[in-house]
Amino acid sequence: MSGTSVAIIGLGMMGRGIAGRLIDAGFDVTVYNRSRSAADELEQQGARVAATPAEAATPGGLVITMLAHDAALETVATGPDGFLEKLGSGGVHISMSTISPSLAVRLAALQSALGSAFVGAPVFGRPEAAAAGRLWIALSGDADAKARIQPVLALLSQGVFDLGITPEAAHVAKISGNFLIAAAVEALAEAFALVAKNGGSAEAFLGLLAQTIFACPIYQNYGRLILDRQFSPAGFKLALGAKDIGLVLANGRETETPLPFASLLNDRYLAALAKGRAELDWMAIALDVAADAGLANAPAS
Amino acid sequence: MSGTSVAIIGLGMMGRGIAGRLIDAGFDVTVYNRSRSAADELEQQGARVAATPAEAATPGGLVITMLAHDAALETVATGPDGFLEKLGSGGVHISMSTISPSLAVRLAALQSALGSAFVGAPVFGRPEAAAAGRLWIALSGDADAKARIQPVLALLSQGVFDLGITPEAAHVAKISGNFLIAAAVEALAEAFALVAKNGGSAEAFLGLLAQTIFACPIYQNYGRLILDRQFSPAGFKLALGAKDIGLVLANGRETETPLPFASLLNDRYLAALAKGRAELDWMAIALDVAADAGLANAPAS
Amino acid sequence: MSGTSVAIIGLGMMGRGIAGRLIDAGFDVTVYNRSRSAADELEQQGARVAATPAEAATPGGLVITMLAHDAALETVATGPDGFLEKLGSGGVHISMSTISPSLAVRLAALQSALGSAFVGAPVFGRPEAAAAGRLWIALSGDADAKARIQPVLALLSQGVFDLGITPEAAHVAKISGNFLIAAAVEALAEAFALVAKNGGSAEAFLGLLAQTIFACPIYQNYGRLILDRQFSPAGFKLALGAKDIGLVLANGRETETPLPFASLLNDRYLAALAKGRAELDWMAIALDVAADAGLANAPAS
Amino acid sequence: MSGTSVAIIGLGMMGRGIAGRLIDAGFDVTVYNRSRSAADELEQQGARVAATPAEAATPGGLVITMLAHDAALETVATGPDGFLEKLGSGGVHISMSTISPSLAVRLAALQSALGSAFVGAPVFGRPEAAAAGRLWIALSGDADAKARIQPVLALLSQGVFDLGITPEAAHVAKISGNFLIAAAVEALAEAFALVAKNGGSAEAFLGLLAQTIFACPIYQNYGRLILDRQFSPAGFKLALGAKDIGLVLANGRETETPLPFASLLNDRYLAALAKGRAELDWMAIALDVAADAGLANAPAS
């Protein structure tokens, strides 16, 4: 598939990692980002840089979007100089951002009218995983379109999980997965606080759990980072985590699904935002868990 | 260490599994249980059956306790015909039940006055793991006593985690670990409900998460059982799970540790008890998560 | 002020009560409602019936809106045949619906550009209070506009509380007040459940509290209705209560304000909606409080 | 009833207020307090001071207890030199403290065996209300005993509410009532935070609500004190409020009653204790509501 044209819209840490990997593999990559400077390095690596989202897209080609929130995706897709019309008939929009399921449904309907396909393909993994092609991808949408983009996904990931033919299924899985992560963070932080207030070692406690019944990346890696209060620089910003829990609750409201753990996490994130922690890692909700227990609680520098 | 005398007090599924394994390994095992019938099979396997806790203990020997709650342990230890006085100087009490850290502290002080040692050694693992010597053990207490009982623990477990020299540290870890499990169950159940209300497949969602960032026994096994509504017969009864979350909250109160997830779980367990689900598996709190979302919710038979 | 032209848009139970009272007082009333039939009775009482929101408004006159949610207000104000352009310079829009503070801000800005004034004037009180001129009104907005509409408000209410000159202050107060009511309902329902599970009389308990430290309408009237399970016909529909708690949480998100009680209420309302209780009175969240405690819980007929 | 012997055990602010009022009315009052100094002023007013609880009681007479918690009451009632045996046949124990319903049941059984009666008579009202005879009293227990103590209760209160013949009903009502108060405090604090974060006046908001649908002492007085951050000196100490919410949750556990608002309050109180606020007024949980919203939050001096 080397030589295929791919537009990549949104050049945060994730988007840059994805673009770099596709360039290295010989794809014909055009990038677009609201602030131009993020594209400089990729240009040197061989990417073309478009001045607008529309300019980035090739009719009937592939567009990958990797943006911070619903509004950003709506702007590049359907705003002035949005890419959807240009992408036109036969094109595939690979939606890799963490967005609301309802936006996925809305865009899929618009694209259907324009003759293109919307494929949900949000990812699990931090920027270094993106650059190394080690993401996990949740996939859903039109079967033909999914088949067509398979080589792109294979290059970026160590595993692709097909969740069906609706546009939103993959995005539901992504926000639900992020909810599970945040819930594990809160649970770990509470357990650490309890162990500490009993005079025990949270370190040894994590050693026990993360090698046995919770021997998996989230508990091992996040547990470690919480204990080390390693919240800056952020692997994933708290402001984005707060947004994702907001997406979970908004979806819960639309679908009439009570989600008490998610509600509690929402309040944790709002408190963290109100206290100025938007730029810390999203695990930094652990700071208030500790502070509420009266534990010494120096914010990460 | 074959030939060593060990008393095992409390012959629920876990206690019987432990006793059987020690008998098979050639230990000189005496058992005691409040209702005598639980001891019958072990007697045929070669155990001696004591009529009282005191009778079960050998002065200066080893006593393993595996009981359902604090009150049961207090009765066999310090009640009429309790084993503590008989165990006497030089003995070791291996406390494998899930009990409150404060009871561990209290018994350790009593034992110290009597010249014996209290070692906290609660376990993670279901009855079949006990019988197969595949438990995980959290350990804390006096260093000499811990060294002395090492062969017993090795026989029962695939891993022992030393959490220090206080009597309660292992019990704090155990109740905190059970809290982490219950929190994972609630989080999974909420995520499953959200996926289902969006028309997606909770099965496929679990497939994604449990093979990637949550690839560990709790998410894999418990996730499976929740999806299958496999709540009876119970691997671990809901009434016991409810008790353990109660221990977590009681300890949080004593140590002034707010635990909002645990508080929410406590209300889930009380609702399940109020609805008559004490005998189901403790994962059955997932029934109310689904019911609150209006999902068809046939109680496990 | 008799003879003054007033348009009333939105003829639910509240809107009809308001319109009837203004007609009786001699105002020159024009009404509009999406479904025409709601206007029939008022027409017989002397109201003119407009075919569109725009037709209802008099340039430079007064428009009262009393609608079910933000979207309905946006449609009649700025949709096709919306009233805002027609109202034009010098007009006053009296916003009596329970809407989001952010919509109040948005409409106020639009109206400012058109030369008219937005006044927030949401109300506390049930339909019979509207018809009897016994509402309580929260007021905010431009000082001159507030002075001009004083006779209208006086006719409808037993008290007007001025909360300042911003367009949203009154609407913030309204949704916060509804949150306080829902919180009192949940608290009462929990206390009733606890008393009942102890074998006591919730009736006698309410008698004590509602005559002493909680001797005020919410505890007296709502407490009574909860005890009587008088949830149908609804004085205020659960679907609307659910919407209002949603507005509270949405505002909490926008302003970065954690609101744990409101979060919990949100989950209660979503569960009630998922269980098909949208048409019951909004106090019917008490049904799940009782059911979770295992109390016999016949849904209101 | 002037001249009747009454023992008053427990001389905190409430107990002293009660004792003073009974002395002034001509009762023959004997007092006991663990630390003797609290009795000095009452001695000058004419009280006899007993050296032990037993010494304070008159066989067949009346004993009022007003203590800080279950343990204190158990000590003075059934500990060494406890008053229960001395009170003996025909005596009445008027239990005015806020204690667990289960202790009420236990003491009532003990007293029944000794021939005396246990009457639950916990109070609502601050110390100045006690001194002025303006308490509200929740009453339950044996009918004859209740009749006998009527003159005492009349002197202390502006209203007595009979909740039936069980020993615990009045104590259930008391802890449930305190739960309602704490819930109102949390709800008010959240609403105030939301109003403030919207740039509005919490003062004006309270003015609206506390004169209309929430026109009752709790919302008026507590709302005022929260706005003024008037948390010291404490009218009722946070440590005691924390204890009472603990009693509510403990009773919820015993009776299998989920109480989500109470659970949330429990975490608020534990956080406040962990942060060293035990001596502030129990309304000071409002400090964390504000701090979590990022609002300037000077702790009360």
Side-chain angles (χ1 to χ4, degrees), chain A residues 242-247 249 252-261 263-264 266-275, chain C residues 242-247 249 252-261 263-264 266-275:
Chain A
K243 177 212 66 165
D244 289 358
I245 297 300
L247 292 179
L249 283 192
R253 173 157 280 273
E254 287 163 24
T255 59
E256 298 181 348
T257 313
L259 299 165
F261 264 23
S263 293
L264 202 148
N266 189 52
D267 287 315
R268 280 272 187 237
Y269 277 105
L270 293 178
L273 291 176
K275 291 175 181 183
Chain C
K243 178 212 65 164
D244 289 357
I245 297 299
L247 292 178
L249 283 192
R253 173 156 281 271
E254 288 163 23
T255 59
E256 297 181 349
T257 313
L259 299 164
F261 263 23
S263 293
L264 202 148
N266 189 50
D267 287 314
R268 279 272 186 237
Y269 276 105
L270 292 178
L273 291 176
K275 292 175 180 182

Side-chain angles (χ1 to χ4, degrees), chain B:
Chain B
M1 203 179 184
S2 159
T4 302
S5 294
V6 183
I8 299 169
I9 295 177
L11 300 175
M13 285 190 292
M14 293 296 293
R16 291 202 302 274
I18 289 167
R21 193 154 172 89
L22 291 179
I23 293 167
D24 289 349
F27 282 84
D28 180 14
V29 171
T30 306
V31 297
Y32 169 78
N33 196 63
R34 196 178 43 171
S35 73
R36 216 273 182 201
S37 59
D40 289 347
E41 202 180 336
L42 293 167
E43 188 170 29
Q44 289 173 14
Q45 288 172 47
R48 236 167 322 153
V49 181
T52 67
E55 190 189 310
T58 305
L62 305 182
V63 173
I64 291 174
T65 51
M66 184 52 105
L67 296 142
H69 43 61
D70 279 27
L73 176 52
E74 287 201 272
T75 299
V76 301
T78 62
D81 294 316
F83 71 84
L84 270 200
E85 298 234 0
K86 173 88 169 297
L87 179 61
S89 183
V92 178
H93 169 204
I94 310 172
S95 167
M96 303 189 90
S97 324
T98 302
I99 57 163
S100 70
S102 60
L103 177 56
V105 170
R106 218 152 63 233
L107 287 180
L110 274 174
Q111 293 197 222
S112 176
L114 294 165
S116 66
F118 175 98
V119 176
V123 305
F124 291 96
R126 298 211 160 197
E128 48 284 15
R134 306 284 297 163
L135 296 170
W136 302 104
I137 296 180
L139 187 68
S140 75
D142 175 72
D144 290 341
K146 287 188 291 192
R148 177 173 168 201
I149 65 174
Q150 201 280 329
V152 173
L153 302 183
L155 190 66
L156 298 174
S157 75
Q158 57 180 313
V160 176
F161 294 80
D162 195 328
L163 298 165
I165 60 170
T166 68
E168 76 276 20
H171 288 293
V172 170
K174 172 58 186 172
I175 62 174
S176 300
N178 275 12
F179 157 61
L180 284 188
I181 298 171
V185 167
E186 169 77 22
L188 280 169
E190 291 187 16
F192 290 166
L194 191 66
V195 169
K197 294 289 299 253
N198 277 278
S201 159
E203 190 84 29
F205 171 71
L206 179 64
L208 160 54
L209 271 304
Q211 290 175 54
T212 59
I213 56 178
F214 286 107
C216 54
I218 294 299
Y219 285 79
Q220 290 169 337
N221 303 342
Y222 283 43
R224 180 77 264 137
L225 292 166
I226 295 169
L227 287 180
D228 294 346
R229 303 233 162 151
Q230 193 70 46
F231 300 138
S232 178
F236 183 63
K237 286 187 185 173
L238 195 142
L240 293 175
K243 177 213 66 166
D244 289 357
I245 297 300
L247 292 179
V248 169
L249 284 192
N251 185 265
R253 173 157 281 273
E254 286 163 23
T255 59
E256 298 182 348
T257 313
L259 299 165
F261 264 23
S263 292
L264 202 148
L265 290 166
N266 189 51
D267 286 315
R268 280 271 188 239
Y269 277 105
L270 292 179
L273 291 176
K275 291 174 181 183
R277 297 179 182 147
E279 298 298 312
L280 296 185
D281 192 275
W282 71 320
M283 276 172 285
I285 55 167
L287 289 169
D288 271 337
V289 178
D292 284 348
L295 293 167
N297 183 27
S301 60

Side-chain angles (χ1 to χ4, degrees), chain C residues 63-119:
Chain C
V63 173
I64 290 173
T65 52
M66 183 51 105
L67 296 141
H69 43 62
D70 278 28
L73 176 53
E74 287 200 274
T75 299
V76 301
T78 63
D81 294 316
F83 71 84
L84 270 200
E85 298 234 0
K86 172 88 170 297
L87 179 61
S89 182
V92 179
H93 168 203
I94 308 172
S95 168
M96 303 188 90
S97 324
T98 302
I99 56 163
S100 71
S102 59
L103 177 55
V105 171
R106 219 153 62 236
L107 287 180
L110 274 174
Q111 291 196 223
S112 175
L114 294 164
S116 66
F118 174 98
V119 176

Side-chain angles (χ1 to χ4, degrees), chain D residues 28 68 114 117 122 144 194 201 239 260 274 285:
Chain D
D28 179 15
L114 294 166
D144 290 342
L194 192 66
S201 159
I285 55 168

Side-chain angles (χ1 to χ4, degrees), chain D:
Chain D
M1 202 177 184
S2 159
T4 302
S5 295
V6 183
I8 298 169
I9 296 178
L11 299 176
M13 285 192 293
M14 293 297 292
R16 290 202 301 275
I18 289 167
R21 191 151 174 90
L22 292 178
I23 293 167
D24 289 350
F27 283 85
D28 179 15
V29 171
T30 307
V31 298
Y32 168 78
N33 195 63
R34 196 177 44 169
S35 72
R36 216 273 182 198
S37 60
D40 289 348
E41 201 179 337
L42 293 166
E43 191 170 27
Q44 290 173 13
Q45 290 172 45
R48 238 167 323 152
V49 182
T52 68
E55 190 188 312
T58 304
L62 306 183
V63 173
I64 291 174
T65 52
M66 184 51 106
L67 296 140
H69 42 64
D70 278 28
L73 176 53
E74 287 200 275
T75 300
V76 301
T78 63
D81 293 316
F83 71 83
L84 270 200
E85 298 233 1
K86 172 88 170 295
L87 179 62
S89 182
V92 179
H93 168 205
I94 309 171
S95 167
M96 303 189 90
S97 324
T98 302
I99 57 163
S100 71
S102 59
L103 178 56
V105 170
R106 219 154 59 236
L107 287 180
L110 274 174
Q111 293 195 224
S112 175
L114 294 166
S116 67
F118 175 98
V119 176
V123 304
F124 291 96
R126 299 211 159 197
E128 49 285 15
R134 304 285 298 163
L135 296 170
W136 301 106
I137 297 181
L139 186 70
S140 75
D142 175 73
D144 290 342
K146 288 189 292 192
R148 177 173 168 200
I149 65 174
Q150 202 278 332
V152 172
L153 302 183
L155 189 66
L156 298 174
S157 74
Q158 57 180 313
V160 176
F161 293 80
D162 194 327
L163 298 165
I165 61 170
T166 69
E168 75 276 20
H171 289 293
V172 170
K174 171 60 186 171
I175 61 175
S176 301
N178 275 12
F179 157 62
L180 284 188
I181 298 171
V185 167
E186 168 76 22
L188 280 168
E190 292 188 17
F192 291 165
L194 192 66
V195 169
K197 293 288 299 255
N198 277 279
S201 159
E203 190 84 28
F205 172 71
L206 179 64
L208 160 54
L209 271 304
Q211 290 175 56
T212 59
I213 58 178
F214 287 106
C216 53
I218 294 298
Y219 286 79
Q220 291 169 337
N221 303 342
Y222 283 42
R224 181 75 265 137
L225 292 166
I226 295 169
L227 287 180
D228 293 346
R229 305 235 162 150
Q230 192 70 46
F231 301 138
S232 179
F236 182 62
K237 286 188 184 174
L238 195 143
L240 293 175
K243 177 212 67 166
D244 289 358
I245 297 300
L247 292 179
V248 169
L249 283 192
N251 186 264
R253 173 157 280 273
E254 286 162 25
T255 59
E256 298 182 349
T257 313
L259 300 165
F261 264 23
S263 293
L264 203 148
L265 290 167
N266 189 50
D267 287 315
R268 280 271 186 238
Y269 277 104
L270 292 179
L273 291 177
K275 292 175 180 183
R277 297 180 181 147
E279 298 298 312
L280 296 185
D281 192 275
W282 72 319
M283 276 173 285
I285 55 168
L287 289 169
D288 272 337
V289 177
D292 284 348
L295 294 167
N297 186 25
S301 60

